[in-house]
């Protein structure tokens, strides 16, 4: 009996120094097919900035790798864990926003500079696509909109020319994302605990951490002109945790940022907030956008 092919998986790659409170590991999934010039899809999980781990998305990563024929990276980032049980104010500031975004920026730097390593190799580091779910949509949004704050420091650390990492991001898919943290809290007051855990209690932190509140510099201090990557926002009609206005309002905001008309908004009947990630329709939808952008 012939064994079926499956993605080749490399687990627990350390993308930045680890400590007792920092999560800096990622897994790589190479597709079984020998596609030429593969892109890299980076999946950023949600979990309200306080839960979640790369180990919870094995099937998702395998499905995406086989459907797209591209390499998939799934990473863990530092979570905002309360030091005292049931006390959201006890999270150390070092583990709050913008730490989550900074960690993912470090992971992108690692994936860009280590693309030729024997285990990691097999993808084109200049063709990166970000897929962020829920809180991961907030993270990927800030990476796409504010390279000056999050990517350029990593470029400087690695000795890369300014703009290298942002130009490598060819497209972003926000999946049931949180794009305005302040408005989320007003619509869902019961979310206060995890918002305080992730951002602290100062109102300015919610604005600083909201993608649709960013004043995007057209030219960075280093002279790099801003260009928004291809962008798609997808939202399930059955999402019970994030309201649809997060998606529609963010879509309207992105249209003011990008002079090009390559920002897309798609609603579908894909199930509840977490269940949609396991559906065949989710895999097909992500594949559709990445293949379209790869051919543009």
């Amino acid at each position: 009996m012939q064994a079926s092919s499956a993605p080749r998986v490399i687990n627990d790659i350390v993308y930045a120094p680890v400590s007792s409170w920092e999560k800096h590991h990622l897994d790589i999934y190479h597709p079984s097919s020998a596609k030429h010039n593969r892109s890299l899809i980076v999946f950023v999980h949600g979990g309200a900035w306080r839960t979640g781990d790369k180990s919870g998305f094995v099937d998702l990563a395998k499905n995406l790798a086989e459907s797209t024929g591209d390499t998939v990276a799934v990473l863990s980032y530092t979570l905002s864990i309360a030091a005292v049980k049931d006390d959201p104010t006890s999270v150390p500031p070092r583990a709050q926003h913008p730490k989550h975004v900074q960690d993912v920026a470090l992971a992108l730097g690692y994936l860009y500079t280590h693309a030729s390593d024997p285990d990691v190799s097999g993808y084109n580091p200049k063709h990166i696509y970000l897929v962020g779910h829920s809180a991961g949509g907030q993270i990927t949004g800030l990476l796409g909109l504010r390279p000056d704050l999050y990517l350029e420091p990593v470029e400087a650390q690695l000795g890369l020319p300014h703009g290298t990492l942002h130009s490598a991001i060819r497209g972003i898919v926000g999946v049931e994302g949180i794009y305005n943290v302040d408005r989320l809290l007003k619509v869902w007051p019961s979310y206060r605990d995890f918002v305080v855990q992730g951002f602290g209690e100062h109102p300015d932190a919610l604005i600083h951490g909201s993608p649709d509140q960013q004043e995007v510099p057209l030219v960075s201090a280093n002279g790099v002109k801003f260009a928004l990557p291809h962008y798609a926002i997808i939202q399930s009609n059955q999402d019970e945790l994030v309201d649809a206005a997060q998606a529609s309002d963010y879509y309207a905001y992105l249209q003011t940022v990008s002079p090009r008309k390559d920002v897309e908004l798609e609603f579908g009947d894909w199930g509840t907030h977490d269940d949609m990630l396991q559906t065949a329709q989710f895999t097909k939808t992500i594949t559709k956008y990445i293949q379209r952008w790869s051919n543009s």
Side-chain angles (χ1 to χ4, degrees):
M1 182 175 179
Q2 185 176 3
S4 60
S5 58
R8 181 170 62 93
V9 185
I10 303 95
N11 291 313
D12 298 323
I13 298 170
V14 178
Y15 65 80
V18 296
S19 68
S20 60
W21 60 279
E22 292 172 298
K23 298 177 69 174
H24 291 158
H25 293 83
L26 60 82
D27 298 336
I28 294 283
Y29 297 77
H30 291 299
S32 57
S33 61
K35 176 182 174 181
H36 176 65
N37 198 32
R38 293 200 297 264
S39 298
L40 173 66
I41 303 168
V42 180
F43 179 78
V44 183
H45 69 76
W49 304 281
R50 64 180 181 181
T51 64
D53 185 84
K54 61 185 178 58
S55 61
F57 302 94
V58 174
D59 290 341
L60 179 150
K62 290 181 177 179
N63 291 339
L64 280 180
E66 292 303 281
S67 177
T68 61
D70 293 316
T71 296
V72 176
V74 183
L75 57 92
S76 293
Y77 53 88
T78 302
L79 301 174
S80 299
I81 305 297
V84 179
K85 184 179 180 181
D86 299 326
D87 180 4
T89 67
S90 67
V91 178
R94 65 185 182 181
Q96 294 176 323
H97 173 79
K99 176 61 175 171
H100 323 104
V101 191
Q102 292 168 339
D103 278 6
V104 179
L106 288 171
L108 293 180
Y110 177 92
L111 289 164
Y112 186 91
T113 56
H114 288 75
S116 61
D117 288 4
D119 284 340
V120 179
S121 64
Y123 60 85
N124 182 349
K126 296 183 179 181
H127 284 220
I128 297 175
Y129 297 95
L130 306 182
V131 180
H133 177 242
S134 195
Q138 177 257 354
I139 294 170
T140 55
L142 289 177
L143 290 171
L145 291 164
R146 297 305 302 269
D148 57 319
L149 296 181
Y150 302 110
L151 296 177
E152 289 188 15
V154 176
E155 292 165 351
Q157 178 181 331
L158 297 174
L160 296 172
H162 293 300
T164 297
L165 294 178
H166 194 251
S167 64
I169 300 173
R170 298 302 182 93
I172 302 173
V173 184
V175 184
E176 300 178 318
I178 298 169
Y179 310 113
N180 189 306
V181 186
D182 181 58
R183 190 161 62 245
L184 180 83
L185 189 55
K186 291 176 180 175
V187 174
W188 306 85
S190 62
Y191 290 177
R192 181 183 181 278
D193 280 3
F194 74 70
V195 170
V196 170
Q197 280 190 226
F199 295 84
E201 296 186 279
H202 200 290
D204 288 351
L206 305 186
I207 302 302
H208 186 271
S210 295
D212 75 357
Q213 296 298 299
Q214 301 304 304
E215 295 183 8
V216 179
L218 297 181
V219 180
S220 75
N222 296 300
V224 178
K225 292 184 179 180
F226 177 84
L228 184 72
H230 296 286
Y231 218 119
I233 305 158
I234 66 175
Q235 181 80 19
S236 175
N237 292 320
Q238 289 76 43
D239 189 345
E240 79 285 19
L241 299 180
V242 176
D243 56 288
Q246 288 280 336
S248 57
D249 290 352
Y250 189 47
Y251 172 68
Y253 164 79
L254 288 178
Q255 288 185 308
T256 69
V257 172
S258 177
R260 304 175 320 207
K261 299 299 182 182
D262 55 2
V263 179
E264 302 185 57
L265 174 65
E266 182 173 354
F267 287 89
D269 293 324
W270 299 318
T272 58
H273 187 75
D274 292 319
D275 288 349
M276 76 164 292
L277 297 178
Q278 306 305 324
T279 65
Q281 187 60 41
F282 170 77
T283 303
K284 291 178 182 178
T285 302
I286 300 299
T287 301
K288 172 183 69 175
Y289 285 114
I290 290 175
Q291 291 182 344
R292 180 189 304 170
W293 296 335
S294 296
N295 294 325
S296 65

